[in-house]
Amino acid sequence: MIAGVKKAMRRRGVPAVFLMVLVMAMPLGAAEPDVADGAAAEPDVAAAGPDMEALLGSHGRFSSPTDDTLALEFLFSLTGQRQYDLLRGYDGKGYDQTDSDPSGLGYEPVSRPLRGQRSVQSVYESTEAILDYRSRHFNLFVDWALIGDRRYDPSEPYMRDRYFYIRDAHVEVDHRPFTLKMGRTTQQDVVDTPYSLFVNSNPIPALQMETSYKGDFFFYTSRWVGLNRSSDKTYFGSEPGVSPFGVYNDDNPQFVPGTGARYDQVYPDGVPWADRGANFKVYGLNLEQGWRFGLQEGAVYTNSFFNPEFFLSPMPMYFTQIIMDGGNKPWGEFANSKHVMGFFLDRTTPDGYFAAQILVDDINGSSIPGIDVDFQNRLAWSLGGYRQFDFGQVGLYYAGATKYAFSATSTPGDDVYDALEVGQYSGADETPLYYSRRPYPFTYFPAVEYPVDGGRRMPIDYRQNYLGYTHGENNMAIKIDYTNTFFRGQPRETGVYASMEWVLNGAKSPANPWHEEYTYKDISDSTHFLRDDLEHQLLFRARVERPVTILGTPFTVFVDGELGLIFNAMRLEAPFDDDDPRRWIWGDEDGNFGSEFHGGANDGIKLIDRNRAEPWIYRPQMGTNEVIYYLTVGITYRWQMK
């Protein structure tokens, strides 16, 4: 039961500092990942039915080739919460065409305001259903829910502000030592900590395919994750009337490459999110005395949903891209990807677990003789584990990341924004985002917000968006937790989990490359770590659950809550202050851009408001303190059909 409580807490561990609390707690007894030998994680469901370990026999996990189990599980919960809004209304500026100029159409500044955030429900209910089938070589798992927190719009009018949500739906072919897993499911890092670096420890479902081999000495995993495909969402600030590419004249018609049409004709509502995908690899060794050591890497690519070579080839993806995209070669292909690499070391013993991880996004090599680069040191690190004592299991974890690690980056050209000259349409890869010619957000979604009904906006909690470390860049976090099962083996068996976490956060920019700077060359120092205004979070969480019998039928009831004290609470805000001269791109009434119009010279006007055209940034608000909480009570029933 200890494993079940710990996994249920982590699975439902939605960050308390943000709005989108989705508390759909799972019952106790979930199968624990076999970290010691790298076995694939079982689905996060209760073990109220037959003991799976009892099925072990001469044929492997099951006593015969035909043994299988089938269970249905149902959950209902009620949640009360207090959160605070991350997005406020904003009086942004844009431009509009006018026919006041006798020589033809011209441009004039107009108001392009943004509405604030739609608040979530203070009290809401969730209903969840799970189908769990397992056999010797094939597993099928479906977990979906009907949720009323107003985080997303309802799919149908009759749902009355509720929406369906797929938490997990996958199949697994298990023929040890080889496994194949496919479906819309959640990821898991090779290390068992809440501060894993390469995979976000929060359960974020996405379409995936994973192959793995787990031998006695060597183990290998290759995973593809689909991010965006044929998206109906558009990049923030890319619509005509806001984006500089919506401005045109006879000398600069702003044709989209390959179309022969103007930008505003091809993208009248804004530029759809480009297709994106990600791949992750693990190369590991099982050493003596429970030690493991290995290499990890991740890649995110744009304008492609699936990269077969990254998934199928055992070659490290960083070198694959260099070989495929470097120089004139007959096998060359266009590549556009962001890579992170690192190492892990962990040890499993009968009474505990320890893990260490390091991730390198980029590194400044100027201290090495003969190397002259001015990149930022973009690093992350994690250390921690847990130990079993007579009074329960205690865990202690620490992690951190420098600024710009996990954030959006770019490789802008000198012809797009330097000297405030936009010039001919030159958005890389036919994605016209003038602030980033090659946008590389290491996130599930290339945005920090999305529109909802009524013209309002909803923020995307960065802890539910980062592909890697849950707290993201510019962060340090320490967490201690306690897990135990009381009255083990008795009808009143009770699982308990409690944690306390201290988090320091500086500014974060998951979608706007280099924060408010245009390029990394504009950043003065190579290493930035907690040098901004800081948000302090103190988070306390607890969960208790136990079986009960109602009218002769066994159920599991639980209470799950969190209290957060947030100092200098983070909010999303526009990149530039109102009086920052970098806020504006100047031009003239004919739609010409150039430094000669800056400051109103030569009858220049403020044609482009970058605060309205660039993604916003998470920043601490000094002196703004918040108390947030949620409390969930729920009940589950598991029907073990076979």
Side-chain angles (χ1 to χ4, degrees), residues 161-181:
D161 289 333
R162 296 165 181 83
Y163 60 88
F164 284 119
Y165 189 72
I166 300 175
R167 301 192 60 87
D168 198 338
H170 72 267
V171 296
E172 182 181 31
V173 178
D174 185 353
H175 203 295
R176 305 289 173 89
F178 299 98
T179 59
L180 172 64
K181 183 179 178 181

Side-chain angles (χ1 to χ4, degrees), residues 501-522:
E501 186 175 19
W502 176 46
V503 182
L504 285 174
N505 281 319
K508 303 176 189 292
S509 184
N512 195 336
W514 311 117
H515 291 237
E516 66 275 7
E517 304 295 347
Y518 172 61
T519 171
Y520 67 88
K521 297 178 183 179
D522 300 325

Side-chain angles (χ1 to χ4, degrees), residues 46-88:
D51 183 2
M52 300 302 292
E53 297 297 329
L55 298 176
L56 289 170
S58 59
H59 294 278
R61 292 193 305 153
F62 293 86
S63 58
S64 75
T66 59
D67 280 337
D68 55 3
T69 64
L70 176 63
L72 296 176
E73 187 167 332
F74 305 94
L75 177 150
F76 177 81
S77 65
L78 186 66
T79 298
Q81 62 177 336
R82 181 188 185 276
Q83 306 296 321
Y84 66 94
D85 289 348
L86 289 174
L87 277 169
R88 293 177 174 175

Side-chain angles (χ1 to χ4, degrees), residues 350-376:
D351 58 355
Y353 175 76
F354 164 82
Q357 234 180 348
I358 186 168
L359 178 146
V360 178
D361 190 344
D362 211 339
I363 193 166
N364 188 307
S366 59
S367 60
I368 303 174
I371 296 180
D372 183 18
V373 297
D374 53 1
F375 299 143
Q376 276 60 52

Side-chain angles (χ1 to χ4, degrees), residues 323-335:
I323 294 170
M324 298 302 297
D325 190 42
N328 293 320
K329 307 183 183 81
W331 61 81
E333 62 183 41
F334 176 78

Side-chain angles (χ1 to χ4, degrees), residues 60 78 92 103-104 174 205 305 325 374 432 506 543 580 600 609-610 624:
L78 186 66
S103 63
D174 185 353
F305 187 60
D325 190 42
D374 53 1
R543 177 184 175 93
D580 191 328
D609 182 359
R610 295 179 65 191
T624 299

Side-chain angles (χ1 to χ4, degrees), residues 411-530:
T411 56
D414 294 334
D415 62 330
V416 180
Y417 188 73
D418 288 357
L420 301 178
E421 294 188 21
V422 176
Q424 178 70 23
Y425 172 90
S426 56
D429 315 323
E430 302 182 11
T431 303
L433 303 176
Y434 72 93
Y435 51 86
S436 172
R437 288 197 59 196
R438 297 187 186 276
Y440 293 123
F442 200 68
T443 56
Y444 283 89
F445 313 107
V448 293
E449 62 177 81
Y450 58 94
V452 292
D453 285 346
R456 292 195 175 272
R457 303 177 290 161
M458 285 295 285
I460 303 176
D461 177 356
Y462 65 80
R463 294 196 206 177
Q464 298 293 324
N465 196 12
Y466 280 122
L467 281 165
Y469 176 45
T470 182
H471 291 298
E473 63 171 314
N474 216 9
N475 164 269
M476 184 183 74
I478 299 174
K479 183 174 186 176
I480 183 171
D481 64 8
Y482 171 77
T483 313
N484 202 0
T485 301
F486 297 95
F487 313 113
R488 187 183 298 273
Q490 301 180 31
R492 56 177 180 166
E493 179 175 284
T494 304
V496 175
Y497 177 90
S499 69
M500 178 175 64
E501 186 175 19
W502 176 46
V503 182
L504 285 174
N505 281 319
K508 303 176 189 292
S509 184
N512 195 336
W514 311 117
H515 291 237
E516 66 275 7
E517 304 295 347
Y518 172 61
T519 171
Y520 67 88
K521 297 178 183 179
D522 300 325
I523 302 171
S524 57
D525 299 323
S526 60
T527 303
H528 289 252
F529 178 58
L530 300 179

